Amino acid sequence: RRDHLLCIQARRKFWHDVKKMMRHAKKGQLQDDLFTRIIESLDNMHNLENAARNEYHRLLANFKTSASLNRTYADFADLILNDEVQKFKYLRAASAIDGEDQGA
């Protein structure tokens, strides 16, 4: 979950830097260091996404019957990875687990 939140923060920082760059560009004051920070933000987002994805996969392998973990990963797949296939796969898994819990 920590890595998931770090990914969200990194995306916010990226878009903040892009917005700042655009304001400076409109004033004709585009700065090289701002462009460098945007590239660094992109690299950071990529690294954090990979770390979060790997951590989720490790957790999902160890806790296959956790409906809440499957839902959280579905949320991550939707918001961070922009992957609807993975989102619905893990939402279906969570629903199946919930169905098993209610049937027991």
Side-chain angles (χ1 to χ4, degrees):
R1 185 83 176 139
R2 183 178 82 71
D3 289 333
H4 183 140
L5 294 175
L6 288 173
C7 287
I8 293 170
Q9 290 171 348
R11 284 184 178 237
R12 286 183 181 147
K13 182 184 179 326
F14 169 77
W15 288 113
H16 172 78
D17 287 345
V18 167
K19 207 187 309 186
K20 190 174 181 180
M21 187 175 90
M22 296 307 293
R23 279 196 310 267
H24 286 287
K26 286 179 184 176
K27 295 177 187 176
Q29 302 170 344
L30 193 57
Q31 301 167 352
D32 288 339
D33 68 313
L34 199 51
F35 183 71
T36 301
R37 282 193 0 226
I38 289 172
I39 297 300
E40 289 170 354
S41 289
L42 282 171
D43 287 341
N44 187 41
M45 280 190 327
H46 178 72
N47 292 337
L48 288 169
E49 286 172 13
N50 285 337
R53 184 184 303 118
N54 291 339
E55 183 64 13
Y56 271 121
H57 285 222
R58 185 186 68 74
L59 289 168
L60 287 162
N62 291 328
F63 303 101
K64 291 180 174 98
T65 59
S66 172
S68 64
L69 179 59
N70 277 276
R71 274 191 212 86
T72 303
Y73 185 74
D75 185 47
F76 174 77
D78 183 32
L79 297 174
I80 303 299
L81 303 177
N82 197 27
D83 186 338
E84 285 196 11
V85 172
Q86 290 291 303
K87 172 189 170 182
F88 289 115
K89 174 184 174 183
Y90 286 93
L91 285 176
R92 280 191 302 274
S95 293
I97 293 165
D98 285 339
E100 291 171 6
D101 289 344
Q102 291 175 2

